[in-house]
Amino acid sequence: MAIIITDECINCGACEPECPNNAIYEGGMEWTYGGGTALSEVDFSDGTVISGAAKMKPVSDEFYYIVSDKCTECVGFHEEPQCAAVCPVDCCVPDPDNEEDRDTLLAKKAWLHNE
């Protein structure tokens, strides 16, 4: 399951540098699949291929957000999600809409980092 940042976020930014996948962005900021990963392009298996450097629309304009396609819950890096560990208001929580098991998260980590 990916992690989400709730609207209780105080925009302190403590979580952003902790993410090993660069999946956390400041509200209003565009994001890329390639940022902080080994992805130079992304193939969506439906014939769509985009550059890893392609700018994507922000998930939130108001507060920090996590890109679920890049979130591995820190599996393979740390014992627990580091964003949740450093969040002073406990607003980094499991995303019930993006449940993934450990093997899926490890496969996502390998995909992101070309392992």
Side-chain angles (χ1 to χ4, degrees):
M1 161 179 317
I3 304 296
I4 58 170
I5 297 176
T6 68
D7 59 5
E8 296 169 1
C9 176
I10 59 172
N11 287 315
C12 71
C15 56
E16 186 178 22
E18 300 301 320
C19 182
N21 301 313
N22 196 38
I24 303 175
Y25 297 85
E26 184 176 354
M29 298 297 292
E30 294 177 323
W31 63 276
T32 67
Y33 280 96
T37 74
L39 297 175
S40 59
E41 67 178 24
V42 179
D43 184 342
F44 290 98
S45 301
D46 65 357
T48 305
V49 178
I50 65 169
S51 166
K55 302 279 186 183
M56 308 302 284
K57 292 181 182 178
V59 173
S60 171
D61 289 325
E62 299 175 31
F63 48 86
Y64 279 81
Y65 64 89
I66 298 174
V67 175
S68 60
D69 286 347
K70 294 177 71 175
C71 179
T72 61
E73 295 182 45
C74 294
V75 169
F77 295 103
H78 304 286
E79 294 287 321
E80 65 182 334
Q82 295 302 285
C83 56
V86 301
C87 182
V89 293
D90 297 325
C91 67
C92 296
V93 298
D95 181 356
D97 294 332
N98 288 298
E99 293 187 24
E100 297 168 309
D101 62 26
R102 181 173 177 77
D103 289 340
T104 302
L105 293 170
L106 285 169
K108 186 190 297 187
K109 175 189 179 277
W111 172 70
L112 288 168
H113 298 283
N114 199 21
E115 298 175 347

